[in-house]
């Protein structure tokens, strides 16, 4: 399927990856702290990997400048803010309820689940199928640990797994789009860049 590749799309994927990298780093730090593994070596390792992923995201943003820009959709921006706002409201309500029920041990897992769920409308809004995969993987991970991990280890395992999944998603998204952007030539006669995304996926599995 041939689609149009624009500067907006590439920059959007880079910014989305930066969010995944940043929040993934915070989740990993929280997981290491809760698991009592927050050593200097672990922190340095996390920071180095985060720095490498960030560099890749910034490179993709730089690549985006070679591509044509289209007018931003104001409606899409408003919907994005509504989805993000709904996420924070849901977190507040769920945490308040869990605290009243004395189920605070499930708070971190509940937050991660809300993060996962909010990726589904974002996937539809930005036509980014990777968000479906990320949200689905997070929900599978959280469901598994709720059933098989002891309550005293639940928060730490939730945080570590969530951080790793967000990092992996960022890395895959950056890898696919960076490689595609390098391989696809500019079509100056039409003012757009065409790409075959299915071809790119087959080539770089």
């Amino acid at each position: 399927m041939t689609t149009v590749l624009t500067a907006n799309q590439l920059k959007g994927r880079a910014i989305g990856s930066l969010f995944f990298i940043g929040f993934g780093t915070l989740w990993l730090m929280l997981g290491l702290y809760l698991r009592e593994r927050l050593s200097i070596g672990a922190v340095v390792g996390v920071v180095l990997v985060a720095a490498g992923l960030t560099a890749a995201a910034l490179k993709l943003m730089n690549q985006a400048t070679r591509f044509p820009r289209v007018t931003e959709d104001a409606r899409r921006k408003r919907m994005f803010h509504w989805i993000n706002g709904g996420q924070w409201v849901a977190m507040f309500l769920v945490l308040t309820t869990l605290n009243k029920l004395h189920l605070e041990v499930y708070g971190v897992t509940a937050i991660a689940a809300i993060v996962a769920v909010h990726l589904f409308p974002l996937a539809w809004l930005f036509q980014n199928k990777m968000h479906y995969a990320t949200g689905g993987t997070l929900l599978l991970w959280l469901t598994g640990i709720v059933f098989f991990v002891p309550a005293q280890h639940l928060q730490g395992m939730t945080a570590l797994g969530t951080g790793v999944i967000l990092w992996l998603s960022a890395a895959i998204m950056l890898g696919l789009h960076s490689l595609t952007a390098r391989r696809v030539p500019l079509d100056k006669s039409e003012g757009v860049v065409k790409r075959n995304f299915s071809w790119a996926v087959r080539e770089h599995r």
Side-chain angles (χ1 to χ4, degrees):
M1 179 177 63
T2 301
T3 56
V4 175
L5 186 63
T6 67
N8 308 63
Q9 290 172 325
L10 288 176
K11 185 178 179 181
R13 298 301 190 262
I15 292 174
S17 296
L18 286 173
F19 275 107
F20 278 16
I21 295 163
F23 283 108
T25 300
L26 292 176
W27 277 107
L28 282 169
M29 292 292 192
L30 175 62
L32 290 171
Y33 171 76
L34 293 172
R35 299 285 293 170
E36 299 182 352
R37 297 289 189 273
L38 195 60
S39 64
I40 294 177
V43 171
V44 170
V46 169
V47 170
L48 288 176
V49 175
L53 291 171
T54 300
L58 294 177
K59 183 178 180 180
L60 181 59
M61 292 183 72
N62 183 60
Q63 288 177 307
T65 61
R66 301 188 302 110
F67 292 77
R69 176 173 293 278
V70 297
T71 304
E72 294 286 352
D73 188 341
R75 178 175 171 273
R76 179 178 292 178
K77 282 187 175 181
R78 288 195 300 270
M79 292 184 68
F80 170 74
H81 291 309
W82 276 106
I83 292 170
N84 266 339
Q87 173 190 212
W88 293 108
V89 171
M91 288 181 182
F92 172 78
L93 293 175
V94 169
L95 288 178
T96 300
T97 302
L98 289 175
N99 287 335
K100 288 184 177 180
L101 296 174
H102 304 292
L103 297 172
E104 297 89 346
V105 69
Y106 295 102
V108 174
T109 306
I111 291 174
I114 293 169
V115 170
V117 170
H118 107 289
L119 290 175
F120 290 95
L122 288 183
W124 167 80
L125 183 64
F126 294 110
Q127 297 181 352
N128 186 354
K129 293 181 179 180
M130 189 67 200
H131 285 347
Y132 288 122
T134 304
T137 303
L138 277 171
L139 290 177
L140 285 174
W141 166 254
L142 297 173
T143 301
I145 63 174
V146 164
F147 283 105
F148 298 110
V149 173
Q152 64 268 29
H153 300 307
L154 184 61
Q155 297 184 74
M157 294 300 291
T158 292
L160 288 175
T162 301
V164 169
I165 290 169
L166 291 177
W167 267 13
L168 287 175
S169 296
I172 293 170
M173 188 156 49
L174 289 170
L176 283 175
H177 286 87
S178 295
L179 204 51
T180 303
R182 288 200 303 269
R183 290 284 185 94
V184 178
L186 291 173
D187 185 351
K188 296 182 179 179
S189 63
E190 297 182 14
V192 299
V193 180
K194 292 185 177 181
R195 66 181 171 92
N196 189 321
F197 190 76
S198 61
W199 167 83
V201 172
R202 287 197 304 270
E203 286 289 311
H204 307 115
R205 279 178 178 172

